[in-house]
Each structure stands twice: as structure tokens, then as C-alpha cells.
Amino acid sequence: MSFSSRVKDELSRQLSPARHCQIAEIAAIISLCGRVQISEHDRYRLKITTENAAVARKYFTLLKKTFNISTDVSIKQSGEAHKSRTYTVGISRHEDAIRVLQAAKLIDRYGEIEENLSLAQNVVLMQNCCKRAFIRGAFLAAGSISDPEKFYHFEIVCTAKAKAEQLQGLILAFGLDAKIVLRKKYYVVYIKEGSQIVDILNVMEAPVALMELENIRILKEMRGSVNRQVNCETANINKTVSAAVKQIDDITFIRDTMGFEALPENLKEIAALRLSRPEATLKELGEALDPPVGKSGVNHRLRKLGSIAEKLRSQAPDAED
């Protein structure tokens, strides 16, 4: 089961005790994946279609708990064995469909359906707890979360711009930075920051998924920190080794051309020490001198030897040719 499916499974089992929150969640599910069918005799039927069993189960439970009405549940299996199933939960009784639509404020007192099942300025979303329930229902109906082991991405797909903007506004009300992007003919409300996805899971009241995501984030940050430290240490080691190789090359060239006799005593001493201890750090070289010398002093002497070697190379016959 994917991380997104686990989140939906957890949310499908989370049931708000307050009826107004239950209605807000029902309203979200209907708005994002519901359809209203009106017969030629003005009889209403209401149904939602989903490929996620958890969503169908939650909607069925909400309707039973909130309105105590009977629903028709059907499952359609795709012809190919590896394809997913489609679940349809329908309210075929006209009076029950009207009750649900009126409670969710998706139909006005004249029996007119709000355009695109829109919930703009809907009174069912006045309280923060109902906003949480609505976001939860919207995610169940049309949302997904990427595998946090790979990257962070939370999104809810809306069929109309007004729905996306309303949903964005609800999420922004909790201090989260939700954005909207047009993808083909759909408007997608999304969050990409890992810490904010943790927060939206908290808003939707999914504590198990929240802890799982937090643990993954902590491990990824630790791995990243260790990798950065290892890379830094590796770079420092490579730099130190490269410098030591260059120093030994310079000192060997001086020895083989002019010898050490003409060198000042302090340079002669560090040259001999570096040749005898090619793996030593500057600090270790300084401590081996008598009297000891600091890292900067050792580095200064080695740089002088490097300058002498460069000067000798420039005066060599090959250089003149």
C-alpha cells in the first residue's frame, strides 16, 4: 500500500463527533467527486464514484451516521486483472438526496443545484473544525501524497477554478502556503514543503501518517547531514593529500637540483621532515620541530620552498627552450 493510500485509510477511519463537521466532510466529497442526476420528473439521485475503497467506506459511514439513510453500493471491476476497481455509492431515493444536498448547502431553497456543486461562501464551513473536516473530505475525494522517501508533494485536484481557490483559501487559513497550478483541464491545489505537508496532515487529523512522515524527514535530514559532513571531510582530506604531494614534489626537485645546503636552516629542517613524514598534517609537522612551530609557521616555510622550486623550474634548460 502506498503512503497516499495509507493516509486515506487512516482518514477514512477518523470520524468527527460533531454533526456539522460530518456534513462539511460530506459536502467536500460530493463537491469533488459527486454527481447529481435529475430525472425527467425532477427526481434527484446523488452518487459519488471513486477508485479508493477507503473513500467509499468513509462516505457510506458518514451518510449512515449523519442522516441514517440507505445507500446503494456497487463495485465495477476493470476487464484487465491488474486494473483497479471503481466504487459507486449512490442515494437513489429523491427525498434522501434532497436532505443531503440541502444540509450541505449544495442546493438552494428553490431546488437549484449550485454551479459545479460549488461551496463558495458556504455556511457549513464557518468553524475551524468544519474547515478541517472539509479539507479531509477533499483530500479523500481527489487528493494524493507522494512517497516521502522520494520527494515531498501534496495535492488535491479540482475540476473548477472556484473550487480550487476556495480550497486554497481554507488551507491558507491554517497558515500553510498552498498554491494552484493548471494541469490540463484541472486546477491542482498543492504543497511541496515537507514541514508544511506534516502540518496539513495535522490539520486533517492523521496522527499516524504524520509521525511516519516526521520519522522519514528526520532520517533524510540525518542522512543529508552525514553525507555533507563526509563530503566535507573527504574534500579536506583530498586537499591535504594534494598539498602534501605538491610539497614533496617541490622539495624533491630542490634536493635534486640545488640540494639543501644553500637553504636556510629553518627551510632545510622542514624539507627533511616533510620527506621523512609524507603523510603528516601541518600540525603534526610543527609539533615534530624543535622548538615546535604552529600550523601557520609550517605552512609559511613550505610555501617558501614551493616558491624556490618554481623559480628553479623556470631557470631550468627545458623551461628556457
Side-chain angles (χ1 to χ4, degrees):
M1 185 183 290
S2 69
F3 180 72
S4 189
S5 295
R6 292 198 299 276
V7 174
K8 289 193 175 186
D9 186 67
E10 181 182 358
L11 292 177
S12 72
R13 302 174 193 282
Q14 204 282 346
L15 192 64
S16 299
R19 187 173 186 271
H20 49 81
C21 291
Q22 295 168 10
I23 291 173
E25 192 165 352
I26 289 171
I29 295 173
I30 294 173
S31 179
L32 272 77
C33 68
R35 285 184 61 197
V36 178
Q37 296 174 326
I38 307 175
S39 72
E40 56 181 325
H41 302 295
D42 286 335
R43 306 296 289 178
Y44 285 66
R45 294 184 74 250
L46 177 61
K47 70 176 183 179
I48 67 116
T49 303
T50 177
E51 293 183 356
N52 193 300
V55 179
R57 180 175 64 242
K58 180 64 176 289
Y59 182 62
F60 174 88
T61 304
L62 283 168
L63 291 175
K64 189 68 176 176
K65 177 81 174 177
T66 312
F67 299 99
N68 192 29
I69 58 178
S70 299
T71 54
D72 304 319
V73 180
S74 62
I75 304 172
K76 184 179 180 182
Q77 176 73 53
S78 173
E80 298 179 39
H82 65 282
K83 294 293 184 179
S84 59
R85 296 175 175 177
T86 299
Y87 301 86
T88 301
V89 181
I91 303 172
S92 56
R93 193 166 173 268
H94 170 78
E95 291 76 14
D96 290 338
I98 291 295
R99 281 177 60 203
V100 173
L101 290 170
Q102 287 179 338
K105 300 298 185 287
L106 290 168
I107 189 173
D108 64 23
R109 61 193 178 123
Y110 303 109
E112 294 294 327
I113 302 294
E114 295 294 341
E115 186 178 0
N116 294 319
L117 293 176
S118 174
L119 284 157
Q121 308 300 319
N122 199 311
V123 295
V124 303
L125 303 177
M126 298 301 290
Q127 301 182 64
N128 271 348
C129 57
C130 293
K131 292 176 183 177
R132 289 176 182 271
F134 184 87
I135 295 170
R136 178 168 60 246
F139 176 77
L140 280 168
S144 64
I145 299 182
S146 64
D147 181 354
E149 291 280 7
K150 299 176 181 176
F151 58 96
Y152 301 122
H153 186 81
F154 168 98
E155 71 175 36
I156 299 175
V157 180
C158 302
T159 55
K161 186 178 181 181
K163 292 183 183 182
E165 289 176 343
Q166 179 202 30
L167 187 57
Q168 180 190 38
L170 292 174
I171 295 173
L172 290 174
F174 290 96
L176 303 178
D177 186 23
K179 293 182 171 61
I180 298 175
V181 64
L182 180 62
R183 186 188 299 159
K184 295 183 179 178
K185 61 179 181 178
Y186 298 103
Y187 294 86
V188 181
V189 181
Y190 70 93
I191 298 173
K192 296 190 74 69
E193 177 64 39
S195 61
Q196 297 224 340
I197 295 176
V198 169
D199 291 337
I200 196 69
L201 288 173
N202 184 50
V203 167
M204 296 189 299
E205 299 175 291
V208 176
L210 185 154
M211 290 305 300
E212 182 180 352
L213 178 54
E214 277 286 50
N215 288 336
I216 291 171
R217 287 183 66 235
I218 290 168
L219 288 173
K220 286 177 73 173
E221 288 176 5
M222 287 178 61
R223 285 197 296 265
S225 177
V226 169
N227 287 339
R228 285 191 295 273
Q229 186 174 352
V230 169
N231 291 339
C232 182
E233 290 176 354
T234 301
N236 287 336
I237 291 171
N238 290 336
K239 184 178 178 181
T240 300
V241 170
S242 298
V245 169
K246 176 69 167 56
Q247 292 158 8
I248 292 170
D249 186 53
D250 289 341
I251 292 169
T252 302
F253 186 77
I254 294 171
R255 182 195 64 191
D256 295 343
T257 52
M258 62 173 281
F260 292 160
E261 292 75 15
L263 293 174
E265 192 60 34
N266 62 339
L267 297 186
K268 186 188 302 182
E269 185 180 18
I270 196 66
L273 186 60
R274 172 48 94 193
L275 288 178
S276 65
R277 299 186 61 180
E279 78 294 339
T281 64
L282 296 182
K283 182 180 179 182
E284 291 169 342
L285 290 174
E287 290 172 349
L289 293 171
D290 188 20
V293 176
K295 285 173 59 178
S296 61
V298 172
N299 187 52
H300 178 69
R301 296 183 187 185
L302 290 170
R303 289 179 67 182
K304 276 193 172 182
L305 288 170
S307 298
I308 292 171
E310 288 303 312
K311 186 176 181 180
L312 289 173
R313 288 189 182 98
S314 67
Q315 295 172 351
D318 289 345
E320 292 177 358
D321 293 342

